[in-house]
Amino acid sequence: MIKSYPLLVVGALALGVVCLAALVISGLGNRWQLWGYETAFVILGSALIGALITVVAALVGGVLSWRSGYQWGLYVSMAALVVGLVTALPPLSWIRSARQLPYIHDITTDTENPPAFVAIMKERANAPNTAAYGGPEIAKLQREGYPDLAPLQVRVPPPRAFEAALATARDLGWKVIDSDASTGRIEATDQTLWYGFIDDIIVRITPSADSARVDVRSVSRVGKSDIGTNARRIRKFLDAFAARTAQATG
């Protein structure tokens, strides 16, 4: 019976390594445009299933190896368990986030009058997701999931606010597609690190007495749920923008 352990534990480790590689290439392949996001998600799902099988096989092999005093098998099982967990945890975390967060991909600080894309519409021509705002239903889901998102009011002249917003967008690594100081509009794109999904962003600066109001909207081109990516991007921009303007006003 002990002789069967090598096949189990080595097989678990081999499967884990293959699944870890699949997890990595599922995203990189989409980023490098070797395949579409649908294929990337199929590979991701297969990697997750294989990783869970790896974890079970590693646990079984580890327990049997430990009970039989088969030290080499125990070490290999532990390695397989680590590889399986490393592979399974990211997608499981994404699934958990998708269930806990609103199932939406269009986030804005102004749900009543969302900033409208202009220049970037040509680039979104073939995007699966529309740039049209979803209305009260989407606004309700956003308020429930991200109640902290709201317009930012800063006590600086609108032209200075616009310059600060443009500089902040560039500092964050966004690709600025268009900027119009006369209307206070900045349009840009940002790409997610692993899968390379392109999201579109618009910043709107509105004059308000002796201050300026800043609104931001971030929209995914693909996918029904963004698992919080757009909200995090808006928060990051507003925090960086506020810090920049606070430093400028001293």
Side-chain angles (χ1 to χ4, degrees), residues 37-55:
Y37 73 96
E38 298 97 337
T39 301
F41 287 156
V42 170
I43 298 174
L44 174 64
S46 300
L48 174 58
I49 293 172
L52 294 176
I53 294 174
T54 297
V55 169

Side-chain angles (χ1 to χ4, degrees), residues 81-198:
L81 179 62
V82 170
V83 174
L85 290 174
V86 168
T87 304
L89 288 178
L92 287 176
S93 175
W94 298 334
I95 292 172
R96 180 172 177 270
S97 295
R99 290 180 174 177
Q100 291 181 336
L101 295 172
Y103 201 67
I104 54 178
H105 58 267
D106 188 346
I107 309 298
T108 177
T109 57
D110 187 348
T111 57
E112 295 183 0
N113 181 29
F117 293 104
V118 180
I120 220 163
M121 290 302 295
K122 291 182 180 179
E123 299 196 17
R124 290 189 61 96
N126 298 319
N129 292 339
T130 177
Y133 190 66
E137 181 179 353
I138 299 300
K140 180 176 181 295
L141 291 173
Q142 179 183 309
R143 287 193 297 270
E144 293 173 351
Y146 313 111
D148 60 304
L149 292 183
L152 178 64
Q153 203 81 22
V154 290
R155 296 187 64 82
V156 297
R160 288 180 57 189
F162 180 85
E163 293 174 1
L166 189 57
T168 300
R170 288 172 173 158
D171 285 351
L172 292 176
W174 296 358
K175 179 182 178 182
V176 176
I177 303 301
D178 188 38
S179 60
D180 186 352
S182 64
T183 59
R185 175 177 50 84
I186 300 170
E187 295 184 59
T189 62
D190 190 25
Q191 195 171 27
T192 60
L193 178 62
W194 191 346
Y195 280 78
F197 293 128
I198 296 177

